[in-house]
Amino acid sequence: MTLTQRLAFISLCIAAVIVAMQGWWLLLVAVFVWIGLRYSAWPLIPLMIMVDAYLGGFYTFPVLAVSALCWYVLAEYVRERLVIVESDHG
Amino acid sequence: MRVRSPRNSKQQRVLRVTLAAALVIGVGMLLPRAFSFVGAAVMAPFHATNQWLNESSALVPTFFRDRQALLEENQRLRNDLVIAERSDLTQQRLFDENQRLRSLLGAADENRLAAAVIARPNQLPYDLMQIDRGAAQGVEFGAPVYVGKDVVIGLVSHVAEQYSFVQLFTSPDFEATVYVEGPNVVAVMEGVGGGVARVRLPQGIPIQVGDMVYLPTIEPGAFGRVSYVENEPTQPEQYGYVTTHLSLASVFYVAVGRTAQVTQSVDAVEENVQEYLQQSLVVPGVSIDISTTTATSTATTTEPMVPPETTPLAP
């Protein structure tokens, strides 16, 4: 991962937190998809845990953290298939 | 030598991350207060950014905020507009209905009682009209029944507790003294049925189509106009057939007056005839406005007469 890609990844993670705090859910989904398929979704898990902790989500059910965890598992599964398809035609 | 495949390694990494995250989430759900404290500390920079976006008067957050506020206001105003349009339609319908009822009742005359028509002559075996007001509401036997302000169509002939029957002037063999405006004569009108009455006059009296027919025994008592004249020169009499201005089938509401409005006094009848005569030359719509230009000037400005909007006077 180059420095530019690293900076873009960090910016997207920060944007995901801000978007989640603003409640712009559609934009949050788009950021999740972009991060999960282009880079890796695992940083979203601690970030969403922190957002849930900040918003008091652990008093009921941490929706954002569980969603990030599920998306991480799914994205890793999908990303693997996408990489195989690319390698077959590459 | 044992070799680990990359796929197995990746699966194990995913499994480890998942288990670790689930563990942290589980602990967080067990200790929500501690997690909130940690979250508040860690998220302080984001909290400041969030506050900046929500409350700052800088250009970027203001742009986002105003856009969002305008979108919400736009949606709210659209909803209000739809509600207002619907309520406006309801108000207009109620207003029209109110105006129609007031005109039927005679708005200034509180001695009338509005009644709905239950049955008309085509629904009854006799030439009667049934209305939904009776003795319980104050309907009196012999009271005149109006359509509109002064068009009287009949008299109450039977009063039940909750309904009444109206004998129409056009009922067969129903006779009434009428005043025919035009030839200015008093004659006897007799009903012939079907919403038509007949005035019998001697030959030589210039009765014409359109002449107004009044019932001077009832105040106010306009009835209708002569709509057809049957004049055989060889016969000693001529007939004028009189109808009201509207069909009985289109009458849904009537106003019931008081018996005091019906008089049998000859003097009162003559007085009513004189009143009709005195008002027969008044043409509605003609007015002359006079205005003085200055207080010291004797000149006056007179605007031209407005041409009459009604039909010419009967000869």
Side-chain angles (χ1 to χ4, degrees):
Chain A
M1 188 181 287
T2 64
L3 180 63
T4 308
Q5 288 176 332
R6 195 179 297 270
L7 288 175
F9 180 49
I10 294 171
S11 301
L12 278 173
C13 290
I14 294 171
V17 175
I18 294 174
V19 165
M21 291 176 72
Q22 291 292 326
W24 299 338
W25 306 118
L26 287 177
L27 194 57
L28 182 65
V29 169
V31 173
F32 264 42
V33 170
W34 184 256
I35 291 175
L37 297 183
R38 180 67 181 82
Y39 304 102
S40 176
W42 74 262
L44 294 173
I45 298 173
L47 289 175
M48 291 304 115
I49 287 175
M50 284 297 104
V51 172
D52 268 331
Y54 169 74
L55 296 174
F58 284 99
Y59 285 100
T60 54
F61 184 77
V63 178
L64 289 173
V66 173
S67 301
L69 177 59
C70 294
W71 172 240
Y72 166 70
V73 176
L74 183 65
E76 290 299 320
Y77 178 79
V78 171
R79 206 151 63 97
E80 187 178 339
R81 300 299 186 277
L82 289 177
V83 170
I84 288 173
V85 169
E86 284 179 359
S87 64
D88 284 344
H89 292 279
Chain B
M1 181 177 173
R2 191 175 175 189
V3 178
R4 298 178 63 184
S5 74
R7 176 171 294 188
N8 287 340
S9 173
K10 189 173 182 179
Q11 284 179 350
Q12 287 180 359
R13 185 165 59 88
V14 171
L15 187 61
R16 280 200 301 271
V17 170
T18 304
L19 289 175
L23 181 65
V24 172
I25 291 172
V27 172
M29 293 184 71
L30 291 174
L31 303 168
R33 188 181 296 272
F35 261 58
S36 291
F37 179 76
V38 174
V42 173
M43 299 292 287
F46 294 99
H47 174 78
T49 307
N50 198 35
Q51 290 295 105
W52 176 73
L53 281 173
N54 286 333
E55 297 176 7
S56 170
S57 59
L59 180 64
V60 174
T62 304
F63 170 74
F64 283 111
R65 267 206 319 273
D66 288 351
R67 184 175 178 279
Q68 191 66 26
L70 285 173
L71 285 174
E72 291 174 357
E73 186 181 10
N74 190 1
Q75 187 63 39
R76 184 174 53 80
L77 289 175
R78 282 174 188 269
N79 294 338
D80 290 347
L81 185 62
V82 172
I83 294 170
E85 282 177 350
R86 290 185 177 177
S87 62
D88 184 53
L89 281 176
T90 304
Q91 287 173 358
Q92 187 65 40
R93 183 179 61 79
L94 292 173
F95 180 76
D96 291 344
E97 186 180 2
N98 182 266
Q99 290 296 106
R100 186 158 51 89
L101 290 171
R102 286 173 68 86
S103 67
L104 286 171
L105 186 59
D109 193 350
E110 296 179 355
N111 286 324
R112 292 190 184 183
L113 186 68
V117 177
I118 300 174
R120 299 174 182 77
N122 59 347
Q123 299 163 312
L124 295 171
Y126 302 100
D127 204 20
L128 301 173
M129 181 178 281
Q130 188 180 13
I131 59 177
D132 70 341
R133 291 289 186 270
Q137 289 80 31
V139 175
E140 301 169 322
F141 176 81
V145 177
Y146 295 88
V147 174
K149 187 177 180 182
D150 54 4
V151 176
V152 58
I153 60 170
L155 300 177
V156 176
S157 60
H158 173 73
V159 182
E161 188 67 17
Q162 296 294 336
Y163 63 90
S164 304
F165 283 102
V166 179
Q167 180 87 48
L168 301 172
F169 292 141
T170 57
S171 300
D173 300 330
F174 193 101
E175 292 188 344
T177 300
V178 296
Y179 170 70
V180 184
E181 191 183 67
N184 296 333
V185 294
V186 176
V188 174
M189 182 180 74
E190 55 189 16
V192 294
V196 180
R198 185 173 66 179
V199 177
R200 180 183 299 179
L201 291 170
Q203 288 284 356
I205 294 178
I207 183 173
Q208 290 184 340
V209 172
D211 288 347
M212 286 289 296
V213 176
Y214 295 98
L215 286 151
T217 51
I218 299 173
E219 176 62 32
F223 175 69
R225 289 179 183 273
V226 175
S227 57
Y228 178 73
V229 176
E230 182 181 335
N231 189 346
E232 295 286 341
T234 57
Q235 297 295 323
E237 292 181 324
Q238 59 179 339
Y239 300 104
Y241 290 89
V242 185
T243 58
T244 55
H245 67 295
L246 74 168
S247 168
L248 291 177
S250 64
V251 176
F252 291 98
Y253 292 96
V254 295
V256 183
R258 300 293 181 192
T259 51
Q261 294 173 262
V262 181
T263 177
Q264 300 292 338
S265 165
V266 176
D267 294 337
V269 170
E270 287 184 351
E271 187 180 335
N272 287 339
V273 170
Q274 287 297 323
E275 187 179 341
Y276 293 138
L277 264 176
Q278 289 168 0
Q279 293 177 354
S280 63
L281 293 179
V282 175
V283 180
V286 175
S287 63
I288 300 175
D289 296 331
I290 299 175
S291 61
T292 304
T293 53
T294 61
T296 57
S297 172
T298 57
T300 57
T301 303
T302 305
E303 293 187 1
M305 290 178 65
V306 179
E309 298 175 353
T310 58
T311 55
L313 283 173

